[in-house]
Amino acid sequence: MPTSGIHSRMRAHNMRMVGKLCVIAVLMFGFGYALVPIYKAICNALGINVLSISERDATGPRQSRVPSNTQVDRNRSITVEFDANARGPWDFKPAVHSMQVHPGELATVMYEFRNVQNRTMAAQAIPSYAPKQATAHFNKLECFCFNEYTLKAGESRQWPVVFYIDPKLPKDVTTITLSYTFFEVGGKVPSAPPGHKAATLDAGPRS
């Protein structure tokens, strides 16, 4: 077979291969470009909230922003009540006792904590909800209950709870109570001696 014929066939084969690779590259680019709108469409269809915490306005005790990918039912309002329980000698309370939110609306409530003991302690909060059917529809994007904390004697902290209520919440639920119980985590720091009554710091006048 003449050498020129072999070279011609090789060039034709290489050109076809280059053409196929170009098509694959274009398809991959198009797929990558389409991922963002596809992702947003899926989140919108499923009602998933993916708003970044960094996009929140942190200038006030309560903030509200409508996530672009979550439907907000402005024809409906839910009363969210906040409760705090402490299993030990410390101060723990929400900054507000209740607020009105629309289903799908992003909201924030601050909780205040102070270790009034004269020793370091480790603690964690456990949330609960009432009524029970609201549990699956109360979505927390940020919460101090996700972590344990070590607080020195007299140390105070403020923590946000960023949440939204799923618009699929049953229509007969008009009030939700979010309750936190703060309890000491054993084994994290030395505990008080047996039979020793924990001394507390003067917390001053309380409201």
Side-chain angles (χ1 to χ4, degrees):
M1 180 180 292
T3 303
S4 59
I6 295 175
H7 289 167
S8 297
R9 291 183 180 179
M10 289 182 64
R11 276 199 301 270
H13 175 75
N14 290 340
M15 291 298 294
R16 286 195 298 270
M17 181 62 67
V18 171
K20 291 179 181 179
L21 292 175
C22 289
V23 171
I24 293 174
V26 170
L27 290 176
M28 290 179 65
F29 176 81
F31 180 74
Y33 185 81
L35 275 178
V36 173
I38 291 174
Y39 177 69
K40 289 183 177 179
I42 293 174
C43 290
N44 187 49
L46 298 178
I48 301 174
N49 189 310
V50 293
L51 184 68
S52 172
I53 298 300
S54 63
E55 295 176 358
R56 295 183 290 113
D57 176 13
T59 58
R62 178 186 182 273
Q63 51 207 320
S64 173
R65 181 166 298 190
V66 180
S68 61
N69 61 339
T70 298
Q71 289 186 342
V72 178
D73 185 357
R74 298 194 176 278
N75 296 319
R76 183 183 177 195
S77 293
I78 305 295
T79 299
V80 182
E81 299 176 340
F82 305 103
D83 185 32
N85 303 287
R87 300 295 186 188
W90 48 75
D91 291 335
F92 177 49
K93 62 182 179 180
V96 296
H97 295 293
S98 66
M99 66 172 61
Q100 294 279 328
V101 299
H102 300 297
E105 177 186 17
L106 195 67
T108 298
V109 61
M110 300 298 297
Y111 272 77
E112 302 171 357
F113 183 93
R114 181 173 185 242
N115 177 16
V116 298
Q117 300 181 83
N118 63 355
R119 65 182 180 91
T120 299
M121 58 163 288
Q124 184 171 10
I126 298 297
S128 60
Y129 309 88
K132 287 296 184 182
Q133 62 264 38
T135 302
H137 302 280
F138 199 103
N139 299 279
K140 297 189 295 295
L141 278 68
E142 182 178 349
C143 180
F144 56 89
C145 60
F146 297 157
N147 302 295
E148 296 178 359
Y149 297 91
T150 299
L151 299 99
K152 298 179 180 179
E155 184 176 359
S156 297
R157 295 279 190 92
Q158 286 190 332
W159 292 298
V161 177
V162 184
F163 68 93
Y164 72 95
I165 298 172
D166 194 318
K168 296 179 182 179
L169 178 73
K171 298 293 185 181
D172 60 338
V173 178
T174 58
T175 301
I176 297 175
T177 299
L178 171 62
S179 180
Y180 285 100
T181 299
F182 228 121
F183 63 94
E184 187 165 4
V185 179
K188 297 294 181 178
V189 295
S191 58
H196 173 73
K197 184 177 180 180
T200 59
L201 302 172
D202 182 10
R206 301 184 185 182
S207 58

